[in-house]
Amino acid sequence: MFLTISTTGTPGRPATDLGFLLHKHPDKAQAFSTSYGTAHVLYPEADAGRCTAALLLEVDAVALVRRGRGKDRGGAPDAALAQYVNDRPYAASSLLAVALSGVFSSAMRGVCQARPDLPEQARPLRIEVPALPARGGPGLVRRLFEPLGWTVTAEPVALDERFPEWGDSRYVRLVLESSALTLARALRHLYVLLPVLDDAKHYWVSSDEVDKLLRAGEGWLPAHPEQALITSRYLARRWSLTRQARERLELVRLAEADDSEVEEIDNAVEAESETEEKPTPLAVLRRQAIVAALKESGAARVLDLGCGQGQLVQALLEDASFTEVVGTDVSVRALTIASRRLKTDRMGERQASRVKLFQSSLAYTDTRLKGYDAAVLSEVIEHLDLPRLPALEYAVFGSARPRTVLVTTPNVEYNVRWETLPAGHVRHADHRFEWTREEFRAWARTVAERHGYDVRFEPVGPDDPEVGPPTQMAVFRLDGDGTTTRKETAA
């Protein structure tokens, strides 16, 4: 099993800097023990103009069988077919990826104490892998590496050159070239993508593999167009681990888009565990207020528009007076999490008949939303740009027209009570706006008048005498008698 890394240099930046980056002196041939054999590092060429480092991995087939993934543990298909006669000693795979991380661990982390400036410098790189198993062919190889800035040459290896009619094997000769990448990032690409292309890990994939994937994929995996395939294959198609990794990658992507830390992400889809809901006290109070208002209205069939992870849907299903609960969201990811939260795949027939989840955008009318008793927009409107609010208004109040509509949104006046919130900041970077009590009431009254609803306002959370409650709620009713409007006006 063989891999070479080459670079070129100039008198000011000699190619032999590769030795500093890899922490392996070009004048020495070194050997390192691994769990499955011996890894050798040597330099076929090393001068100021060009330097090549080679990693040769000698695989101990007996150790691979004794210590690898065995019977009934999802072992690699080749090893399962013929434990002692297979391609593991010759074709680049997860064995080579593990050797890379062990032998070049400091280089992968971008650490060079002797020359701290070197790891951050992009340099010309050429990586060659003579035999790479590629389940998906050369096309997949290009789809994986080209978005990362590599020029890719993936030449199929014939099954037998003497018999061209047999076609190509699943192996390719891979050459990667780039002048815009650091060595650390290049090594991390290989560490992840070599086993992805082989699609047959030699060891048991446990939960710590998710952390390994995210560390190696930092800075490139969240935005990769083949992220789903990479994640699934790297984690040996273990569904629970793949789901966990993709959710964490989505949080990274959102954090990068908002130019914030992952820990700060607390959007309409709240970052909490799959099995244990940990809402803030305000979230609990908000759901309680919504459920109470819905029960007071006598609604039986309820829409949760922008349902996120499905906490409100779950709360409504616990009350038998709500005979049908529908959750909609524009995010497929949010609906998937909601479905898991509700355990829709394990519901009894009667309970399953009470709940529906489907994708829908509030920027457009949707005939599926018509005919319901009530609709809830809980912490939704502030995530829309102001010019889009008229479209939402018509979709809900003009087209769907449920008898009761509940709208909750943050009260920006209360923000001064949050000690951790800097002055002038909204509660989350995704909030396009946050209204004062008067601004919210003015909007709600205009909507009510335009579409024939009455409206009243209720506080959610502690009602501060100076700045009001943390959350404000408008209750719209399609009564037509003006009672609630008069009550609100008097208040």
Side-chain angles (χ1 to χ4, degrees):
M1 195 179 298
F2 192 66
L3 175 148
T4 62
I5 304 171
S6 302
T7 187
T8 57
T10 63
R13 293 182 60 186
T16 49
D17 283 348
L18 184 63
F20 285 100
L21 288 167
L22 294 175
H23 296 257
K24 304 293 181 289
H25 199 287
D27 292 340
K28 297 180 180 179
Q30 298 176 263
F32 304 86
S33 295
T34 72
S35 299
Y36 304 96
T38 304
H40 302 269
V41 178
L42 59 148
Y43 287 78
E45 54 183 344
D47 56 44
R50 184 176 175 85
C51 184
T52 298
L55 175 63
L56 173 65
L57 180 61
E58 289 184 300
V59 176
D60 184 339
V62 175
L64 181 62
V65 172
R66 288 177 176 172
R67 306 179 69 170
R69 293 169 58 178
K71 185 177 179 181
D72 297 329
R73 295 184 67 195
D78 302 293
L81 177 66
Q83 291 187 344
Y84 297 100
V85 181
N86 53 61
D87 66 355
R88 301 297 87 177
Y90 315 106
S93 64
S94 57
L95 288 162
L96 186 59
V98 171
L100 275 173
S101 67
V103 176
F104 299 140
S105 59
S106 295
M108 282 185 64
R109 296 197 309 272
V111 175
C112 182
Q113 294 181 352
R115 299 278 301 278
D117 59 311
L118 286 183
E120 296 302 319
Q121 296 177 7
R123 62 187 57 250
L125 292 173
R126 179 184 173 93
I127 296 175
E128 298 185 53
V129 184
L132 172 66
R135 297 181 188 272
L140 179 59
V141 178
R142 287 188 287 271
R143 297 205 311 273
L144 294 183
F145 283 102
E146 285 180 348
L148 302 175
W150 292 103
T151 299
V152 180
T153 302
E155 300 175 350
V157 176
L159 280 171
D160 194 321
E161 294 180 354
R162 297 171 299 172
F163 303 98
E165 64 274 14
W166 288 3
D168 297 326
S169 68
R170 66 183 181 93
Y171 303 92
V172 300
R173 176 181 176 270
L174 176 66
V175 178
L176 302 173
E177 295 177 287
S178 175
S179 59
L181 293 172
T182 63
L183 178 63
R185 179 156 290 198
L187 291 174
R188 291 197 293 268
H189 292 169
L190 293 171
Y191 175 76
V192 173
L193 297 181
L194 290 182
V196 166
L197 285 164
D198 182 34
D199 198 20
K201 279 200 169 182
H202 69 279
Y203 58 89
W204 180 247
V205 176
S206 58
S207 58
D208 63 348
E209 290 296 296
V210 175
D211 292 327
K212 294 180 185 178
L213 174 62
L214 296 183
R215 283 196 299 268
E218 183 179 359
W220 62 270
L221 183 54
H224 198 292
E226 296 292 341
Q227 181 207 107
L229 180 143
I230 293 170
T231 305
S232 175
R233 284 195 177 190
Y234 184 87
L235 297 171
R237 293 185 172 82
R238 290 193 62 186
W239 180 77
S240 60
L241 298 183
T242 302
R243 181 185 65 203
Q244 178 185 345
R246 294 190 65 185
E247 289 175 1
R248 290 172 63 181
L249 286 168
E250 177 66 9
L251 286 178
V252 171
R253 187 191 66 78
L254 290 173
E256 291 177 349
D258 289 339
D259 194 24
S260 60
E261 297 298 325
V262 171
E263 292 77 9
E264 298 174 2
I265 296 296
D266 184 22
N267 207 329
V269 180
E270 296 173 354
E272 50 185 57
S273 69
E274 300 168 7
T275 58
E276 183 180 358
E277 182 181 355
K278 299 178 181 178
T280 65
L282 179 58
V284 174
L285 293 173
R286 186 185 302 124
R287 284 197 293 275
Q288 290 174 346
I290 290 171
V291 172
L294 289 172
K295 290 179 71 68
E296 181 185 359
S297 73
R301 303 175 67 241
V302 179
L303 295 166
D304 183 7
L305 305 177
C307 65
Q309 287 190 342
Q311 293 97 327
L312 178 59
V313 173
Q314 185 178 45
L316 294 174
L317 287 175
E318 293 172 358
D319 191 321
S321 65
F322 300 111
T323 59
E324 183 179 353
V325 182
V326 174
T328 77
D329 204 286
V330 72
S331 167
V332 174
R333 173 179 174 269
L335 292 171
T336 300
I337 297 174
S339 179
R340 289 201 304 271
R341 173 184 296 280
L342 300 172
K343 299 180 175 62
T344 55
D345 57 337
R346 285 177 276 175
M347 279 185 176
E349 184 177 350
R350 177 176 296 181
Q351 185 77 336
S353 67
R354 295 176 61 211
V355 62
K356 294 179 184 175
L357 298 173
F358 59 79
Q359 186 181 24
S360 183
S361 170
L362 294 174
Y364 306 95
T365 59
D366 189 335
T367 57
R368 294 175 296 178
L369 305 182
K370 293 184 177 182
Y372 287 85
D373 300 327
V376 179
L377 293 161
S378 179
E379 310 301 284
V380 170
I381 61 173
E382 65 272 14
H383 292 277
L384 274 69
D385 293 317
L386 283 170
R388 293 185 174 227
L389 276 184
L392 174 145
E393 174 191 332
Y394 179 75
V396 177
F397 296 91
S399 176
R401 291 187 68 76
R403 179 166 292 277
T404 299
V405 180
L406 307 182
V407 180
T408 72
T409 192
N411 168 24
V412 70
E413 296 170 78
Y414 192 88
N415 286 0
V416 297
R417 297 294 188 254
W418 301 115
E419 296 181 359
T420 58
L421 186 64
H425 285 233
V426 293
R427 297 184 193 178
H428 187 270
D430 190 61
H431 288 183
R432 305 303 198 264
F433 62 88
E434 288 178 357
W435 277 333
T436 65
R437 286 169 290 173
E438 187 52 44
E439 288 171 329
F440 179 54
R441 292 187 178 205
W443 173 81
R445 290 168 183 154
T446 301
V447 170
E449 182 178 358
R450 184 179 292 131
H451 298 282
Y453 282 79
D454 299 329
V455 63
R456 73 174 190 271
F457 300 95
E458 296 183 0
V460 178
D463 196 356
D464 189 289
E466 295 181 1
V467 296
T471 294
Q472 45 192 338
M473 180 169 69
V475 181
F476 296 84
R477 284 284 294 173
L478 199 58
D479 288 339
D481 61 5
T483 302
T484 52
T485 300
R486 289 193 297 272
K487 186 184 299 182
E488 178 270 320
T489 302

